[in-house]
Amino acid sequence: MSAGILAHLLGHLPQKELAAKVAANGFDYVQLALSKAISGIDFSLGKLSPGLAQEIGGAFADQGVRIAVLGCYASLIDLDDEVYRYNVERFKEHIRHARHFGAPTVATEVGGMLGAEYRGRHEERLKRALEELVEEAERWGVTLGLEAAQGHMIDSAESLAETVERFPSSCTGVVMDPCNMMNGLRFENQEHSIREAFRLLGPRIVSAHAKDLRRGPDGRLLETAAGLGELNYPLFFELLEQHKPYGFVTLEAVTEPQMAEAARFIRAGRIAARSRV
């Protein structure tokens, strides 16, 4: 079973050096957020080209590492017209060049709201952005991966499913991160929460993230490396293998000293899950 890593967790480095470091740590693929991970290159809007994309994609391919997902994390609901347009156009640029990186998916969280009183305006922004991005994804044969996150406009399996249902294109998918969908109540009932997330989103999963949650001394949920918290990973892996066997699973919230053990935990858990499916 394979495991991946957010590339920037191994540093902000030139592409060849970063790719070699990913391979040396035993990872099979990465989620690559260009400006976070690759040093020495200007990735601002208008700078991507097939040549640049192939240079970076080739550096990883030479090390036997795939680029599973391009991360383009920027708010799609920003109420500043200039920022909003920049973010949408930059995401479209990633979609157009994804195939040259060898990446099937471009992923994002949608952004946080300013407040409940702005919900209508944020919803309109998101609708307009996704109309453009889905059209671009269909044109270039790339999957748009949406991810839920606490504190964002889309923060649960239910709100993510509602959004995806409004855009039923085969190019619209989800990045499944169970921890991102958990608040205190959902965590207390995490078996139901995880099962419900797969019921609502299972067919649309294009990638998954692996981190963990534990209770802090004050009762708040704290992120930690996969295998060091309280998430019901046996259930998560079993459902993931049922819905998307051999799908991408990418480590998050992990330090370099934790990476080897977290990767072993992920691989062993997935193998065990496949034996039960």
Side-chain angles (χ1 to χ4, degrees):
M1 279 292 185
S2 61
I5 188 77
L6 298 184
H8 60 271
L9 296 182
L10 284 161
H12 186 240
L13 301 166
Q15 60 269 22
K16 292 184 179 180
E17 185 177 341
L18 182 60
K21 192 172 182 182
V22 170
N25 278 271
F27 292 107
D28 305 285
Y29 46 84
V30 294
Q31 177 168 314
L32 181 65
L34 295 171
S35 57
K36 286 185 177 183
I38 307 295
S39 66
I41 298 175
D42 180 0
F43 291 109
S44 59
L45 181 61
K47 297 299 175 68
L48 283 187
S49 68
L52 175 56
Q54 290 189 6
E55 169 64 26
I56 294 170
F60 282 88
D62 288 346
Q63 296 292 333
V65 177
R66 290 166 289 167
I67 300 175
V69 177
L70 276 183
C72 186
Y73 285 74
S75 175
L76 302 180
I77 63 172
D78 201 290
L79 298 184
D80 181 296
D81 289 341
E82 186 174 340
V83 172
Y84 168 80
R85 180 42 50 191
Y86 183 96
N87 291 345
V88 172
E89 292 300 328
R90 189 164 182 268
F91 202 103
K92 289 165 74 173
E93 186 176 62
H94 276 61
I95 289 172
R96 289 194 297 272
H97 292 89
R99 61 193 173 115
H100 299 296
F101 287 96
T105 299
V106 183
T108 191
E109 298 159 351
V110 301
M113 294 194 300
L114 293 177
E117 66 272 27
Y118 295 98
R119 174 170 287 277
R121 293 178 63 193
H122 284 308
E123 287 177 344
E124 179 58 29
R125 288 274 159 130
L126 182 59
K127 177 178 180 292
R128 286 170 49 198
L130 291 180
E131 285 173 348
E132 291 188 46
L133 296 180
V134 169
E135 180 181 356
E136 197 77 4
E138 289 177 337
R139 180 177 295 120
W140 295 95
V142 173
T143 301
L144 168 63
L146 298 178
E147 182 181 356
Q150 292 299 300
H152 283 236
M153 186 173 175
I154 296 177
D155 62 357
S156 66
E158 292 79 8
S159 57
L160 183 52
E162 289 171 4
T163 302
V164 171
E165 286 169 7
R166 290 199 296 269
F167 297 89
S169 168
S170 59
C171 289
T172 307
V174 302
V175 177
M176 172 67 82
D177 187 330
C179 295
N180 277 13
M181 301 179 191
M182 296 286 182
N183 56 25
L185 181 60
R186 292 193 184 101
F187 193 63
E188 291 298 328
N189 298 279
Q190 62 170 288
E191 179 172 350
H192 171 77
S193 300
I194 292 171
R195 289 189 184 280
E196 187 68 1
F198 277 93
R199 184 186 71 81
L200 292 170
L201 302 168
R204 293 293 193 131
I205 295 171
V206 295
S207 181
H209 286 168
K211 55 179 179 278
D212 220 327
L213 292 173
R214 60 179 178 83
R215 291 282 186 185
D218 59 358
R220 288 189 304 158
L221 293 177
L222 303 175
E223 291 185 357
T224 188
L228 298 182
E230 304 166 40
L231 190 75
N232 188 343
Y233 262 107
L235 175 62
F236 176 71
F237 284 140
E238 185 172 332
L239 293 175
L240 184 63
E241 292 303 322
Q242 285 178 9
H243 286 271
K244 298 292 178 180
Y246 298 98
F248 294 125
V249 177
T250 302
L251 289 174
E252 276 194 312
V254 60
T255 64
E256 285 195 48
Q258 296 170 326
M259 286 179 184
E261 184 56 38
R264 280 194 292 270
F265 173 79
I266 295 300
R267 291 187 173 105
R270 298 186 73 189
I271 290 170
R274 281 208 63 79
S275 71
R276 299 191 298 270
V277 173

